[in-house]
Amino acid sequence: MALLVLVLYSTHSLAETISIHLKWYHKFQFAGYYAALEQGYFEEEGLDVRLIEGGPHKNHLHQLINNSSQYAVLGSESINSLALGSPVIIVTSIFQHAPEILMTRIEDNVQDIQELKGKRLMLADAALAGQIDAMLNKNGVPSNSYTKHPYDGDVNKLIDGTVFAIYGYISNEPYQLEALGQQVNILSPLDYGIDFYGDSLATTQSELNNHPDRVASIRRAVIRGWNYAIKYPDEIIEHILSLDTLNPKPFNFLHQQFEANKTIELIDAKKIPLGYTSPDRWAVMFDTFNEVTNGQAVFTRKAIYDEFYQDKSWIRNSIIGAILALLMIILLYVWNRTLKSKLDFAMQKLEKEAFEDTLTGMKNRSAMMLFFEDCRNRNRTNHYLAIIDIAKLQKINKSQGFKIADNLIKSVANIISNYSDKQSQCYSLYGGKFAFITSAHSQDEFKQNIDNLMKQISISNKNIKLHSGGIKLDFILDNSAIATRFEQALQHSKGLKSDKLVFFSNTIVEAIEARENLLNMVAAGIKNNEFIAYYQPKLCSQTGEIKGVEALIRWQHPQRGVLRPGDFLPIVETSKELMLQLENYLFSKIISEASLLIDHFNQCPGFRISINLSSYQFNRDFLVKELLGICQKHHVNTKYIEFELTESSMLEDLDCAIIISNQLQAAGFHVALDDFGTGYSSLAYLQNLPVNVVKLDYTFVKKIPHDIRSGYVVEHIILLAHRLGLSIVAEGVEQEEQLNYLKRLKVELIQGFYFYKPMPINDVITLSKKYDMNE
């Protein structure tokens, strides 16, 4: 009986059809699999293999994980799957180099990858093309330095200039573009120190455990198939063209030949043995993946198939045979029940690992995408989604540590989970972001629901700041478009600094486009020298002598004329890279003009030129060295230059601000605390801040002398500053009463429209050295 069962079991095993799920439509990218099938290599191994054509509506990874297919061809998404901890095993890596590249038009003459800064780039998600993000980030082009256009594969958007660069395969899009008459410049991660594996054959841990011989057989046949395809590419192409395909636009022969040549280069069989897989290289890929995604994925050596795996299943089979011979009927029943239990447990564990966030225990982004698919199938129309974001989480990580940040995320997750009901779904996405989905009769009802949730979170975590964006789920759109909409709503909420739910609308899209257009115009304006400095004099309150000037930015717009900072600077400040670029340009501009001002006011003791310095400059390691270099280039003594730092920006990172202020003073510069009293309203900070001057904000000045409460505050600030040995500058003086009041309080310097408005340098150097206070 035991022998009979073993024979029947073996016959069943031989008769079983094995599926390999391809990742896309039939093309030379999978030539080795077709060759192995056509040349009988699978059959020689005793295997009945079926190749399943992929496409945009087939998820080959999910088919593998849920055991619909025993094997699948995975590209860059394989590392994302392994990072999630799913039971995927890399059997063999066929493409030694990934095919993903960035392309720019040849006429754009891109010489340096950093020229992508400030441009619109069509990119796929990091889960599919993490090596592209890694290439950009590693070479000084972080994600906040360019605009990301969602990937839709439309190469015409590169041709017509909608995007500056486009993501694609080196074996595909260059041919498409050339056919349309467009030559391209290729930016390959391989040329910038990023070298990921491309297509790999993958299976599951369950398949390896239960059928180790079959895994080895599949691997041998596939490698033989690829060896044949590399030798006879045209033969395999003819076979591919004869296959029935779901592809509405299959490649022609020339296109297949182009792909074949590039594919053979990526396989690199002349230098590296076909199918070779290095665990060390996978570990490096994991490190790069973590850098790009800010993840903490851990590489597991067991995820890579060991071709020298020693099959000891004969021991297990012998024991099973002996047991079957003795207790055939009883143990067969028990074995079947045990197998089912293990399978159920494995499926539950797999689902938990693939669709659950390890930190919070909530369902993750992948689970949310499956929920979207379920809603599409059920034709649901009344669901709303809100994405809730913990503000400044990276700063908390940096200043207080990952443990504090993780505890905060878990606290918010518990509140959201407890708030949800049977009609609601909640998900932990990434980086302290959560999605809350529920049905509602109206947008107002949903908004009130989310505002109440955010209020509960704020009450439980008093110092937390939240932003949220919402959309009504329209499942006519694909998942990528839905994600784009709720991310845009969230970004708009951050821009408004709102603690209420902000809904997606066409107005938001228009605002984003207007912002991007303005940022592009500012970048062009810097190149065209359209930004200039205006100067507003500072006078001695007692004598009227001009003791300094404050440099203020103006934009000589080619169509709109001279624009004040309020017309453009708030939007520019949302882009750190562009703000730094504008400030550096203005520093050089002001210092280049400084000699004219110093020569004109050389008889005014203590004369200084004040320049505003944003908090974006604080984290630059060589800031003071660069400022000194600019002064030396234009032969300007640093004693004539004063930098104004706002109270709010200094107290945002007090330790860093103190370091910068001390370095500036050590270099001979003066430092002023600008807009004092508008930020944290704490005079106690003055004793810790190394500054020379306190600049009283105009919001206090405009209320005196009639507002008694403001008068008390002003007097207290002046008294404390004088006791600390600091000078006082009062800005916004517009009336004689204000002037007389401040003179009585012995304020050193006065600035405002009562005396002078900001003016170009040519007007400043015609001014008298002293203003007649008796006029």
Side-chain angles (χ1 to χ4, degrees):
M1 289 181 65
L3 290 174
L4 178 61
V5 170
L6 290 174
V7 168
L8 291 174
Y9 178 80
S10 300
T11 303
H12 173 73
S13 178
L14 288 172
E16 182 180 2
T17 299
I18 308 303
S19 297
I20 301 178
H21 204 301
L22 308 179
K23 64 180 291 189
W24 199 244
Y25 298 124
H26 291 315
K27 49 192 293 199
F28 195 89
Q29 183 178 352
F30 315 110
Y33 302 95
Y34 307 129
L37 191 61
E38 287 302 300
Q39 297 303 311
Y41 300 152
F42 289 128
E43 187 177 358
E44 290 177 16
E45 295 285 353
L47 302 171
D48 179 14
V49 172
R50 180 170 65 103
L51 301 180
I52 302 177
E53 184 181 25
H57 304 296
K58 295 184 177 181
N59 193 317
H60 52 293
L61 179 57
H62 285 180
Q63 294 293 312
L64 177 65
I65 292 176
N66 65 23
N67 289 332
S68 296
S69 298
Q70 290 82 15
Y71 299 83
V73 178
L74 303 183
S76 298
E77 68 271 28
S78 60
I79 189 170
N80 186 50
S81 173
L82 295 176
L84 289 172
S86 66
V88 172
I89 301 296
I90 302 300
V91 177
T92 182
S93 295
I94 302 299
F95 287 23
Q96 294 298 316
H97 312 292
E100 287 86 352
I101 56 171
L102 277 183
M103 293 159 284
T104 62
R105 298 182 305 180
I106 197 72
E107 57 264 35
D108 288 332
N109 194 28
V110 174
Q111 301 294 323
D112 189 324
I113 195 171
Q114 295 209 8
E115 292 177 43
L116 299 182
K117 286 184 177 179
K119 302 296 192 300
R120 183 187 291 271
L121 314 181
M122 182 188 289
L123 301 176
D125 290 338
L128 296 176
Q131 65 270 34
I132 298 298
D133 286 5
M135 173 182 72
L136 295 172
N137 193 54
K138 182 177 180 180
N139 291 277
V141 188
S143 59
N144 60 4
S145 69
Y146 58 81
T147 301
K148 182 175 181 179
H149 183 93
Y151 179 76
D152 60 14
D154 186 358
V155 296
N156 288 299
K157 289 182 180 177
L158 178 67
I159 297 173
D160 64 21
T162 300
V163 296
F164 186 79
I166 184 171
Y167 158 89
Y169 273 30
I170 196 170
S171 56
N172 182 21
E173 280 77 0
Y175 181 92
Q176 290 182 329
L177 287 161
E178 184 175 357
L180 295 172
Q182 178 65 60
Q183 298 292 323
V184 295
N185 177 43
I186 292 176
L187 300 173
S188 171
L190 192 60
D191 296 330
Y192 290 90
I194 304 296
D195 190 9
F196 278 20
Y197 282 120
D199 284 4
S200 296
L201 177 65
T203 188
T204 62
Q205 186 67 54
S206 174
E207 172 74 4
L208 180 59
N209 290 344
N210 296 324
H211 306 286
D213 287 339
R214 190 160 73 191
V215 175
S217 296
I218 287 282
R219 183 178 185 276
R220 282 193 299 270
V222 167
I223 291 176
R224 289 179 68 192
W226 271 109
N227 188 60
Y228 187 93
I230 291 171
K231 288 182 179 179
Y232 308 106
D234 289 351
E235 177 185 333
I236 301 302
I237 290 173
E238 291 290 354
H239 172 69
I240 293 171
L241 294 176
S242 70
L243 296 174
D244 292 332
T245 179
L246 301 174
N247 189 351
K249 296 180 180 180
F251 290 179
N252 58 30
F253 189 89
L254 291 178
H255 197 162
Q256 293 278 8
Q257 276 191 323
F258 178 86
E259 184 178 66
N261 292 333
K262 295 299 181 181
T263 297
I264 292 170
E265 291 177 8
L266 295 171
I267 293 173
D268 207 5
K270 292 183 178 179
K271 297 180 182 177
I272 303 172
L274 255 170
Y276 176 73
T277 302
S278 167
D280 294 336
R281 189 171 166 199
W282 278 98
V284 173
M285 289 166 61
F286 261 66
D287 293 340
T288 305
F289 176 85
N290 287 335
E291 290 176 6
V292 172
T293 62
N294 292 319
Q296 297 180 353
V298 179
F299 172 73
T300 302
R301 173 64 182 81
K302 295 180 180 178
I304 309 302
Y305 175 74
D306 184 355
E307 62 182 304
F308 302 108
Y309 175 82
Q310 298 298 316
D311 182 14
K312 299 181 180 179
S313 59
W314 63 272
I315 300 176
R316 181 193 62 187
N317 293 336
S318 298
I319 296 174
I320 292 175
I323 295 174
L324 286 173
L326 296 173
L327 302 166
M328 186 63 192
I329 297 175
I330 297 174
L331 292 185
L332 182 61
Y333 172 79
V334 173
W335 180 76
N336 284 334
R337 295 293 297 175
T338 303
L339 181 62
K340 185 179 183 305
S341 175
K342 287 184 176 180
L343 181 61
D344 291 342
F345 176 77
M347 290 300 297
Q348 292 173 2
K349 183 178 180 181
L350 174 60
E351 184 174 353
K352 180 180 177 67
E353 292 176 346
F355 301 109
E356 185 176 292
D357 177 54
T358 55
L359 177 62
T360 63
M362 295 174 70
K363 290 181 285 187
N364 61 15
R365 186 184 182 93
S366 297
M368 183 174 72
M369 296 304 169
L370 291 181
F371 176 74
F372 288 170
E373 294 298 333
D374 182 63
C375 289
R376 285 192 183 92
N377 295 333
R378 297 170 182 259
N379 295 319
R380 292 181 175 174
T381 58
N382 63 336
H383 277 71
Y384 293 81
L385 179 148
I387 180 170
I388 301 171
D389 180 35
I390 303 174
K392 298 183 179 179
L393 190 62
Q394 288 186 344
K395 184 178 178 182
I396 296 173
N397 272 328
K398 180 179 177 181
S399 60
Q400 301 182 42
F402 284 104
K403 186 175 181 180
I404 298 296
D406 286 349
N407 288 338
L408 178 59
I409 292 173
K410 288 190 283 188
S411 172
V412 173
N414 288 334
I415 296 171
I416 294 176
S417 297
N418 293 334
Y419 188 81
S420 63
D421 53 26
K422 293 182 179 179
Q423 285 73 42
S424 304
Q425 301 284 334
C426 51
Y427 304 89
S428 178
L429 303 183
Y430 57 92
K433 291 181 176 63
F434 302 88
F436 188 89
I437 303 174
T438 190
S439 58
H441 293 99
S442 67
Q443 180 173 301
D444 289 339
E445 178 188 337
F446 179 70
K447 185 177 186 301
Q448 183 62 48
N449 194 357
I450 298 303
D451 287 343
N452 290 337
L453 171 58
M454 293 176 65
K455 187 179 296 183
Q456 284 192 22
I457 297 172
S458 298
I459 292 173
S460 300
N461 302 272
K462 294 183 179 180
N463 296 322
I464 196 173
K465 291 184 179 180
L466 301 171
H467 299 295
S468 65
I471 60 169
K472 183 175 183 181
L473 289 172
D474 182 358
F475 294 109
I476 295 176
L477 302 172
D478 62 23
N479 293 348
S480 177
I482 292 174
T484 298
R485 288 192 170 191
F486 66 64
E487 289 287 359
Q488 287 178 334
L490 177 62
Q491 292 304 316
H492 193 63
S493 172
K494 291 181 178 180
L496 296 175
K497 298 181 179 179
S498 172
D499 59 353
K500 303 291 185 182
L501 180 68
V502 175
F503 257 91
F504 172 84
S505 67
N506 290 331
T507 304
I508 289 178
V509 177
E510 292 170 1
I512 292 172
E513 291 178 351
R515 172 185 176 273
E516 291 177 352
N517 289 336
L518 180 62
L519 293 177
N520 290 333
M521 287 192 292
V522 169
I526 295 172
K527 292 182 179 178
N528 297 331
N529 296 316
E530 295 172 5
F531 292 92
I532 61 173
Y534 269 41
Y535 300 90
Q536 187 176 30
K538 300 178 184 179
L539 287 71
C540 174
S541 64
Q542 307 300 323
T543 65
E545 186 177 17
I546 295 178
K547 291 287 190 177
V549 293
E550 179 181 3
L552 304 165
I553 190 171
R554 294 291 186 271
W555 185 2
Q556 289 182 314
H557 196 281
Q559 284 82 39
R560 298 171 58 188
V562 178
L563 301 181
R564 295 184 177 182
D567 296 325
F568 59 90
L569 206 55
I571 293 179
V572 176
E573 286 175 340
T574 65
S575 172
K576 178 179 179 180
E577 293 296 326
L578 188 59
M579 186 64 188
L580 287 172
Q581 187 180 350
L582 181 59
E583 280 194 289
N584 293 339
Y585 166 85
L586 198 62
F587 290 161
S588 296
K589 184 79 171 177
I590 295 168
I591 300 301
S592 69
E593 298 176 345
S595 295
L596 292 174
L597 296 168
I598 294 169
D599 291 343
H600 182 71
F601 294 104
N602 61 353
Q603 296 179 357
C604 302
F607 175 82
R608 292 185 183 86
I609 304 167
S610 297
I611 304 173
N612 291 289
L613 189 69
S614 76
S615 60
Y616 287 136
Q617 301 286 348
F618 287 2
N619 291 322
R620 294 179 56 209
D621 295 334
F622 304 105
L623 170 63
V624 177
K625 184 178 180 180
E626 290 177 7
L627 295 174
L628 278 172
I630 296 172
C631 289
Q632 291 169 0
K633 176 181 177 181
H634 296 283
H635 307 290
V636 175
N637 193 316
T638 57
K639 72 178 183 179
Y640 293 108
I641 306 300
E642 178 178 85
F643 287 101
E644 296 187 2
L645 287 72
T646 63
E647 176 192 0
S648 58
S649 67
M650 290 189 76
L651 298 182
E652 184 176 335
D653 192 339
L654 184 61
D655 293 337
C656 184
I658 290 174
I659 292 172
I660 293 295
S661 184
N662 281 324
Q663 289 177 349
L664 288 170
Q665 292 183 63
F669 298 107
H670 264 234
V671 178
L673 182 61
D674 194 13
D675 297 342
F676 185 76
T678 62
Y680 292 76
S681 302
S682 175
L683 299 178
Y685 282 108
L686 278 180
Q687 64 182 331
N688 297 319
L689 296 175
V691 297
N692 309 106
V693 178
V694 173
K695 196 168 185 183
L696 190 63
D697 188 70
Y698 78 96
T699 55
F700 290 110
V701 174
K702 70 179 182 180
K703 295 180 182 180
I704 58 175
H706 304 293
D707 188 324
I708 297 176
R709 292 170 65 89
S710 293
Y712 288 153
V713 173
V714 169
E715 291 177 13
H716 193 46
I717 291 173
I718 293 171
L719 178 62
L720 178 59
H722 282 161
R723 287 186 175 179
L724 293 173
L726 306 176
S727 299
I728 296 288
V729 177
E731 63 177 350
V733 177
E734 298 180 357
Q735 300 174 11
E736 185 176 2
E737 290 177 310
Q738 296 170 341
L739 171 62
N740 293 333
Y741 185 86
L742 294 167
K743 287 173 66 174
R744 288 197 300 273
L745 294 176
K746 300 188 185 310
V747 170
E748 286 82 357
L749 297 180
I750 306 293
Q751 178 183 352
F753 285 6
Y754 182 77
F755 306 101
Y756 300 106
K757 292 182 178 180
M759 62 190 76
I761 189 168
N762 291 336
D763 293 341
V764 178
I765 59 178
T766 63
L767 295 177
S768 171
K769 311 297 188 299
K770 186 175 182 181
Y771 183 88
D772 188 354
M773 293 293 211
N774 297 318
E775 287 186 358

